[in-house]
Amino acid sequence: MSTKGNSVNIDVNPDVYKHDWQWKEGEYTVTRSTQWTGPGCHNGCGLLYYTKDDKLVKVEGDPYAPFNQGRLCMRCINLPEAVNHADRLKWPLKRIGERGENKWQRISWDEAYDLIVEKVKRIQKDFGPETIVGMEGTGRNICWQVPLLTYAGFGSPNFAMGFLSGDSCMVPRTSISFCVLGDLSVVDCSQFRDVRYDDPEWVVPETILVWGNNTIVSNPDGFFGHWIVDCMQRGSKLIVIDPQLTWLASRAEIWLQVRPGTDTAIAMAMMNVIIEEGLYDQDYVEKWCYGFEQLAERVKTMTPAKAAEISWVTKELIIEAARMFAQSKPGALQWGLATDMSVNGIPQAHALMCLNAICGNYETTGGNVMAREPWYMNLAYQVGYFDFLTEEMREKRIGDDVSPMHQFGTFSSTAQGDAILKAIESGKPYPIKMLWFQTTNPIANMGAEAPRVYDAIKSVDFVVVVDLFMTPTAVAAADLVLPAAMSCERNGLRTWWSPLRSSVQLTQYEECKSDETIVLELCNRLNPENCNWMDDIDLLNWRLEEGQAPVKDFTELVQKVHVWPDHHYRRHEKGLLRPDGEPGFNTPTGKIELYCTTLESFGNDPLPYYEEPPESPITTPELFKQYPLVLTTGHRSFEFFHSEHRQQKTMREFHPYPLVDIHPETAERYGISEGDWVWIENMRGRCRQKARLTATMDHRVINAEHGWWFPEEEGAEPSLFGVFNSNINNLTTQCVTGPTGYGAPYKNQICRIYKATEENSKVMPGEQVTRMGGFKYVRK
Amino acid sequence: MSANKIGFGLLINYEFCTGCHVCEIACKKELDLPVGQWGIKVLQDGPRKMANGKWEYNFLPMPTSLCDLCAERIKMGKKPTCVHHCQAGIMTYGPLEELVQKMTENPKTVLFAPR
Ligand code: SF4
Ligand code: SF4
Ligand code: SF4
């Protein structure tokens, strides 16, 4: 089952590249596999590992992987540098100094497990299993493993995604998608069939609406970003909504330079135009959409003129974009993380789905298709939840009282990061006694209000970190640090979305273990009646069997590398989306719910609405005089994935410092030149990054990088690898979310900037946070 | 046939070069180049606003004098690593005559004949 037509790398030499899973090339063993682990992104590209004497020597893209068709991004090409890096964690380490001193003692795995088991048992007995929280970072192949450990091993309902405020990465979008569409949709770049662009049934999207997303850099959630470029080369036109001119925006027919956080106003105004001018797909709306009249009423309140005033995009451009999108057959919507990162995130995602729906673009070829895990391989964040916990224990999950949507979210069953933070701080509803961090580095990265998260994690009795390198989070808070294996050192499987793929262990680095192995070995010791897998392969076989995947076992999957399920278009017409086999979408009304009955039943607004960011020129005009710039953050760069890759010298050659994008006029106003260190500051704190002047920003907006720390700097406090000095999360907030508990304003803050001088750099943020009680403000 | 003789080259469709740096890093790994050295360097023009209000924003990868057209790989029957991995799929390796022919089919292309 391999690809035939390869539209990117045509004429691959079959004497060199084989369809087998493994062969010899000179002195190397070549293995076809998948990369879907740290360090690197969510995608699961197919690659060829070149190994020799138990060592990874080089990596090539697998031309027979239909997903990436031989291509790789910087991060995977540079994998050998990561895998063979001398600074990697090599064996379990136990803290011997105080927290923050960065003093460790090597111990064996057995000693580490014994220590964990002893602590866990004592905490379970004295305080209850629920006081143990399992956390993970970005969702790679830890996203069913950590819940498994939390539920089956610790016996706690509290699995959470780091301290990500408002769960603002994909989860808001996914949860509302399940309510409105009954599924989660992605742009159809023919990624669901192995023949890819040669599929005779596939048509190229006429227009792709790229909303808040620079796909070529960010490779969003199982979507290979350059597929958009493939479509462009085959004729797709673009409309791009972004505060900054991305390369995609430079190639777009229309670029809407939005004020961060105001996207919903634009989406509603576009619908206003499309409905007023009768450009919507009347047939599709009649047959497949619910609540069109109410939506039409609602969007009347958002005229293009009003949206223009709110969003800083001209009325003419909004109208033009609306007409162009509505008249494209098919149109497609590519949305990004920006959708989740505002308190208006849920209504924004809802608005975007309505916009796409009234243009008739769901389940059409070249439009948006409902993405599903192959077979029943539901390996998202909810594995084992219902099986391993009693009803009584499930009800103790922290954050369920935030909103019914949070409680009943269908995609994720997670405790809310903000609520966990508050529980640590207040001891309510009960104290938190243990934190388990598996490849998450919240004070460098996903935790907004990083100094506050730092205080919280330091105060918890027992903290374990599993990671690839010694991180700022580990030095600050860990009692025990465990070394995780990288890609070619572990057996794993990958869905999210099609196809089902394998990754296979080829080498062993020191005493590192795969996340699967750590989870099951610990589960085995903690709760053998729940978890009696022999080893990682046994565990994977269990997943394959549960999912009814069409392979005998993991060994067969390894040899097949990729396994493709069938794919059909227009499944809503054929009764293929609903469990009852009726035509329609998998929602209560069987239709796409423009008027969302699920939101209504939760007591939330059933229609899209616009809400200002909590701190903005309009919401807080007085504060804005002091902090007269809009701050957006969190955009990606080619070299890094979140806080990873900073220790690779090749990546740092390309990108040595954190960069803040500033319009030249703004820079001039504040006496800032290209390459100056600049302080970025607001009510909560400050950090410094280097100025990059670019005329493509609105002069009222600056764009700062996230995820920075400096592995080359001192690890012990007050430095913590310099993590607070350039940390944009000194400025963002925790516990300020949308009414559903989803969505937080990471990307729409306010700030001021000034040039860093010796005088104003005497007390650096690291010192301020770790030695002087932090920045002075009242925490919400 | 030895590849780094005049007669072979790289054709680049720079309309779709996204500036993703993959050719640069792939080449660095292939030639084992130290910090500061490049076998191919991606040059950038813009972003700058033009009189018509549109933005000019182009990347152009330029092979340097260190490029040997991946002689080792070509000998093995592989493509140059920059061509193999280019995320936009816009680089083609081949005999110059063929590439010139291809140039006529696509606007915004450049042809390099490194040696
Ligand atoms: S997108 Fe890049 S980092 Fe992610 S799997 Fe593919 S090559 Fe690796
Ligand atoms: S052909 Fe090979 S040596 Fe030349 S630029 Fe490309 S990767 Fe470098
Ligand atoms: S790899 Fe391709 S798209 Fe990326 S910078 Fe090089 S030529 Fe451009």
Side-chain angles (χ1 to χ4, degrees):
Chain A
M1 290 204 198
S2 53
T3 173
K4 292 180 282 288
N6 190 322
S7 318
V8 173
N9 282 295
I10 27 167
D11 62 85
V12 175
N13 185 345
D15 296 334
V16 181
Y17 299 99
K18 320 263 191 217
H19 290 281
D20 308 346
W21 76 280
Q22 199 169 53
W23 65 89
K24 281 290 219 194
E25 184 187 294
E27 50 188 344
Y28 302 116
T29 303
V30 186
T31 310
R32 294 176 69 210
S33 190
T34 302
Q35 158 68 3
W36 150 238
T37 187
C41 83
H42 296 176
N43 269 354
C45 286
L47 38 71
L48 305 174
Y49 288 115
Y50 285 73
T51 49
K52 194 186 142 194
D53 305 332
D54 197 32
K55 202 172 150 156
L56 177 67
V57 182
K58 62 175 176 165
V59 159
E60 275 192 45
D62 177 6
Y64 295 133
F67 185 89
N68 51 311
Q69 299 174 300
R71 299 172 274 185
L72 292 177
C73 78
M74 292 179 86
R75 298 182 294 263
C76 270
I77 290 180
N78 209 38
L79 257 186
E81 192 174 321
V83 166
N84 301 312
H85 201 292
D87 292 351
R88 281 186 67 178
L89 291 168
K90 300 179 179 65
W91 35 69
L93 295 172
K94 187 178 148 184
R95 177 168 63 78
I96 46 173
E98 293 295 309
R99 281 185 174 165
E101 281 188 352
N102 201 19
K103 291 192 184 139
W104 308 93
Q105 180 194 350
R106 177 178 178 176
I107 58 172
S108 70
W109 275 100
D110 274 330
E111 287 171 286
Y113 287 142
D114 285 348
L115 186 65
I116 296 167
V117 170
E118 184 210 312
K119 291 273 186 192
V120 167
K121 295 233 150 125
R122 182 142 21 106
I123 292 169
Q124 283 173 332
K125 186 164 145 286
D126 294 350
F127 304 97
E130 66 275 15
T131 64
I132 303 172
V133 177
M135 289 192 164
E136 68 167 48
T138 189
R140 297 175 294 217
N141 48 0
I142 44 170
C143 67
W144 58 269
Q145 292 81 345
V146 183
L148 183 68
L149 173 63
T150 309
Y151 306 143
F154 300 147
S156 166
N158 288 318
F159 158 69
M161 280 164 288
F163 286 96
L164 187 68
S165 185
D167 287 341
S168 314
C169 175
M170 191 152 175
V171 179
R173 258 177 299 161
T174 317
S175 298
I176 185 67
S177 289
F178 277 103
C179 300
V180 172
L181 302 174
D183 272 285
L184 183 79
S185 82
V186 295
V187 178
D188 178 23
C189 299
S190 199
Q191 67 268 49
F192 292 94
R193 285 185 183 156
D194 63 351
V195 291
R196 293 300 306 265
Y197 305 115
D198 293 341
D199 180 357
E201 236 191 295
W202 182 71
V203 300
V204 65
E206 188 178 332
T207 298
I208 306 175
L209 187 57
V210 181
W211 205 297
N213 191 202
N214 190 4
T215 65
I216 57 172
V217 190
S218 69
N219 288 308
D221 307 305
F223 189 93
F224 188 83
H226 276 74
W227 291 343
I228 298 283
V229 184
D230 297 349
C231 288
M232 289 161 71
Q233 294 184 39
R234 288 162 176 76
S236 293
K237 302 274 177 267
L238 302 186
I239 301 171
V240 172
I241 290 82
D242 204 293
Q244 188 158 20
L245 183 97
T246 59
W247 179 87
L248 288 172
S250 79
R251 295 298 191 269
E253 302 300 301
I254 305 172
W255 167 42
L256 304 178
Q257 186 170 23
V258 58
R259 168 164 69 96
T262 66
D263 311 62
T264 315
I266 296 179
M268 288 174 71
M270 283 173 72
M271 285 191 273
N272 178 314
V273 174
I274 290 167
I275 295 172
E276 288 276 304
E277 298 186 2
L279 300 174
Y280 61 98
D281 186 330
Q282 301 192 4
D283 190 47
Y284 190 91
V285 165
E286 205 166 291
K287 277 205 191 112
W288 306 112
C289 297
Y290 175 82
F292 178 72
E293 296 306 320
Q294 292 98 319
L295 177 74
E297 258 329 290
R298 175 60 61 87
V299 300
K300 268 195 194 144
T301 62
M302 187 59 79
T303 60
K306 187 172 169 194
E309 201 179 307
I310 293 172
S311 67
W312 300 346
V313 177
T314 66
K315 163 176 129 208
E316 290 72 25
L317 273 186
I318 295 173
I319 295 170
E320 204 189 315
R323 288 179 183 153
M324 179 178 161
F325 188 63
Q327 285 161 355
S328 302
K329 288 284 163 207
L333 167 70
Q334 169 57 42
W335 59 9
L337 180 70
T339 310
D340 304 310
M341 292 203 150
S342 86
V343 296
N344 200 216
I346 292 285
Q348 178 176 328
H350 189 188
L352 295 181
M353 283 184 280
C354 291
L355 172 60
N356 208 27
I358 65 171
C359 297
N361 295 328
Y362 285 110
E363 276 295 293
T364 54
T365 151
N368 282 69
V369 297
M370 303 306 174
R372 287 183 175 176
E373 310 268 352
W375 300 283
Y376 305 97
M377 303 292 298
N378 196 344
L379 301 183
Y381 301 109
Q382 58 191 5
V383 65
Y385 185 77
F386 298 107
D387 301 346
F388 293 116
L389 298 173
T390 62
E391 185 68 33
E392 193 195 349
M393 185 52 75
R394 272 153 54 188
E395 279 172 8
K396 290 188 179 171
R397 189 173 71 185
I398 288 182
D400 273 9
D401 54 350
V402 170
S403 79
M405 185 165 177
H406 216 279
Q407 188 176 357
F408 299 112
T410 40
F411 174 71
S412 64
S413 54
T414 69
Q416 197 214 27
D418 300 282
I420 300 280
L421 178 69
K422 284 203 160 159
I424 297 173
E425 290 173 344
S426 68
K428 289 185 192 109
Y430 45 79
I432 302 301
K433 292 289 167 188
M434 172 175 163
L435 292 172
W436 173 273
F437 289 124
Q438 198 150 349
T439 43
T440 181
N441 184 9
I443 64 172
N445 203 20
M446 75 195 328
E449 234 175 305
R452 177 174 180 177
V453 171
Y454 163 83
D455 285 346
I457 63 176
K458 282 201 90 143
S459 75
V460 174
D461 293 5
F462 186 58
V463 177
V464 184
V465 169
V466 184
D467 219 314
L468 308 171
F469 291 89
M470 185 61 78
T471 64
T473 300
V475 174
D479 300 289
L480 200 56
V481 179
L482 306 176
M486 289 187 187
S487 52
C488 53
E489 300 155 4
R490 58 191 289 167
N491 296 308
L493 51 87
R494 159 74 169 154
T495 56
W496 196 354
W497 310 102
S498 235
L500 171 60
R501 287 157 264 183
S502 65
S503 60
V504 60
Q505 177 170 14
L506 304 166
T507 60
Q508 172 72 42
Y509 184 80
E510 299 292 349
E511 292 182 10
C512 292
K513 289 182 192 252
S514 74
D515 295 273
E516 287 85 351
T517 303
I518 296 170
V519 162
L520 86 93
E521 288 184 346
L522 201 46
C523 270
N524 261 322
R525 284 168 164 81
L526 284 166
N527 209 345
E529 59 275 23
N530 265 352
C531 333
N532 48 8
W533 305 284
M534 313 268 296
D535 55 20
D536 53 347
I537 295 186
D538 199 26
L539 178 71
L540 297 169
N541 283 337
W542 170 69
R543 291 305 311 168
L544 288 168
E545 207 181 302
E546 292 264 298
Q548 299 173 29
V551 285
K552 208 166 70 253
D553 55 15
F554 181 69
T555 312
E556 191 184 334
L557 181 63
V558 166
Q559 287 169 6
K560 286 192 160 161
V561 193
H562 316 278
V563 186
W564 292 81
D566 288 339
H567 173 72
H568 304 277
Y569 287 108
R570 309 198 77 84
R571 285 171 292 180
H572 62 300
E573 291 173 351
K574 303 170 188 156
L576 295 174
L577 288 177
R578 295 175 57 83
D580 61 12
E582 292 296 313
F585 292 86
N586 192 22
T587 61
T589 58
K591 295 184 171 187
I592 296 174
E593 297 200 353
L594 309 175
Y595 182 97
C596 180
T597 59
T598 311
L599 277 179
E600 184 180 41
S601 72
F602 291 162
N604 296 112
D605 194 328
L607 291 164
Y609 64 91
Y610 174 66
E611 185 187 352
E612 269 287 313
E615 288 156 6
S616 85
I618 288 134
T619 321
T620 52
E622 283 306 311
L623 212 49
F624 194 65
K625 283 185 197 147
Q626 260 176 287
Y627 303 104
L629 294 169
V630 173
L631 165 67
T632 185
T633 178
H635 70 285
R636 305 293 190 254
S637 64
F638 291 111
E639 296 84 0
F640 309 125
F641 194 56
H642 299 301
S643 64
E644 285 179 347
H645 302 98
R646 298 303 190 292
Q647 54 283 103
Q648 294 175 27
K649 78 172 186 336
T650 306
M651 296 308 191
R652 292 296 288 283
E653 180 182 7
F654 282 88
H655 197 153
Y657 306 107
L659 297 171
V660 52
D661 291 316
I662 305 171
H663 192 279
E665 278 170 28
T666 311
E668 200 188 329
R669 183 145 33 101
Y670 298 108
I672 291 161
S673 312
E674 176 78 29
D676 282 348
W677 282 104
V678 170
W679 286 109
I680 311 162
E681 179 174 273
N682 72 5
M683 310 67 79
R684 282 170 292 276
R686 64 174 192 163
C687 73
R688 54 173 222 179
Q689 303 196 354
K690 279 199 166 203
R692 174 167 61 187
L693 305 196
T694 164
T696 64
M697 300 292 303
D698 185 294
H699 65 93
R700 293 160 287 188
V701 181
I702 67 162
N703 176 23
E705 289 185 341
H706 77 296
W708 273 92
W709 59 295
F710 304 88
E712 68 277 15
E713 291 183 12
E714 174 61 48
E717 290 180 1
S719 164
L720 286 180
F721 301 108
V723 69
F724 288 111
N725 293 346
S726 295
N727 196 338
I728 201 64
N729 284 327
N730 296 344
L731 284 77
T732 51
T733 60
Q734 286 274 168
C735 310
V736 178
T737 66
T740 53
Y742 287 126
Y746 281 83
K747 284 183 182 287
N748 28 84
Q749 298 285 339
I750 56 175
C751 71
R752 67 176 164 223
I753 53 170
Y754 51 95
K755 195 169 155 164
T757 62
E758 213 176 305
E759 190 58 27
N760 66 26
S761 305
K762 277 192 184 134
V763 180
M764 292 295 282
E767 181 86 18
Q768 182 94 38
V769 172
T770 65
R771 291 283 182 265
M772 298 164 67
F775 302 102
K776 298 286 168 271
Y777 67 97
V778 180
R779 290 172 177 177
K780 286 188 183 151
Chain B
M1 186 190 324
S2 167
N4 55 351
K5 291 226 180 78
I6 287 286
F8 286 81
L10 293 173
L11 181 69
I12 291 164
N13 176 354
Y14 64 90
E15 168 69 2
F16 293 105
C17 171
T18 61
C20 74
H21 302 302
V22 163
C23 49
E24 292 173 302
I25 194 169
C27 181
K28 255 180 171 306
K29 299 289 129 179
E30 177 67 21
L31 301 180
D32 195 18
L33 298 176
V35 169
Q37 291 302 332
W38 308 86
I40 189 164
K41 191 83 190 88
V42 176
L43 309 178
Q44 180 175 341
D45 171 36
R48 59 189 162 81
K49 206 170 193 170
M50 296 183 295
N52 64 5
K54 291 263 169 205
W55 289 87
E56 189 76 60
Y57 191 10
N58 294 312
F59 295 99
L60 182 65
M62 193 195 79
T64 73
S65 59
L66 299 182
C67 168
D68 67 354
L69 280 173
C70 281
E72 285 295 314
R73 290 176 60 93
I74 298 295
K75 246 189 273 164
M76 295 170 65
K78 295 184 172 187
K79 291 181 192 174
T81 185
C82 56
V83 175
H84 181 108
H85 290 108
C86 171
Q87 289 206 93
I90 55 143
M91 305 177 84
T92 314
Y93 166 85
L96 290 172
E97 305 94 275
E98 268 176 37
L99 298 180
V100 168
Q101 186 53 40
K102 280 202 169 158
M103 272 185 112
T104 59
E105 296 155 17
N106 272 314
K108 297 205 169 178
T109 45
V110 291
L111 183 54
F112 287 103
R115 55 178 307 173

